[in-house]
């Protein structure tokens, strides 16, 4: 398991023991006040939007084109920190990664 630290929509920090090989979204969506992930990970909704803590930037692979397009539709898009959590696979080197669930955007 890989420990992630997730700040939920209520601003609470929650430690998650994430399963490697699954996406971050699949590991955090069951938390209360977490991502909605409406499309189930198909990169077509942006309801799994998270902000990566500044201390953890540079630890993730770059965004693919499809992810960049979806994120650009978000009112909360942050060019440095925004990611779609369904597009990031959990790997052991992400131990301790900190991320923030973006509040509902509508
Ligand atoms: S779950 Fe829909 S884009 Fe990630």
């Amino acid at each position: 398991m890989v420990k992630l630290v997730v700040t939920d929509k209520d601003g609470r920090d929650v430690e998650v023991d994430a399963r490697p090989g699954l996406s971050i979204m699949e590991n955090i969506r069951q938390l209360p006040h977490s991502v909605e992930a409406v499309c189930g990970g198909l990169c077509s909704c942006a309801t799994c939007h998270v902000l990566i803590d500044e201390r953890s930037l540079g630890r993730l692979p770059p965004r693919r084109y499809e992810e960049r397009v979806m994120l650009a539709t978000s009112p909360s898009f942050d060019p440095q920190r925004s990611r779609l959590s369904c597009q990031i696979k959990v790997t052991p080197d992400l131990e301790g990664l900190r991320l923030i669930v973006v509040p509902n955007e509508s």
Side-chain angles (χ1 to χ4, degrees):
M1 295 298 209
V2 178
K3 187 179 86 173
L4 306 177
V5 182
V6 180
T7 304
D8 69 15
K9 289 178 181 173
D10 280 354
R12 276 183 233 131
D13 288 342
V14 182
E15 287 192 5
V16 175
D17 288 323
R19 180 173 296 197
L22 298 180
S23 69
I24 290 178
M25 177 277 281
E26 290 170 304
N27 276 288
I28 69 172
R29 73 186 302 188
Q30 80 284 356
L31 299 173
H33 316 294
S34 187
V35 295
E36 293 177 28
V38 171
C39 79
L42 298 177
C43 201
S44 61
C45 72
T47 59
C48 66
H49 186 180
V50 296
L51 299 176
I52 304 301
D53 186 277
E54 286 165 4
R55 289 166 285 184
S56 299
L57 291 175
R59 298 178 62 192
L60 300 174
R63 304 178 187 106
R64 293 183 310 127
Y65 173 77
E66 295 82 357
E67 183 180 357
R68 292 199 308 269
V69 169
M70 281 310 303
L71 283 170
T73 68
S74 168
S76 304
F77 176 63
D78 180 313
Q80 297 294 321
R81 302 167 63 207
S82 286
R83 296 300 302 254
L84 294 180
S85 58
C86 71
Q87 299 300 301
I88 305 168
K89 286 265 185 274
V90 173
T91 54
D93 59 312
L94 295 185
E95 175 71 26
L97 185 82
R98 292 176 169 268
L99 53 98
I100 300 159
V101 177
V102 173
N104 291 344
E105 302 172 329
S106 54

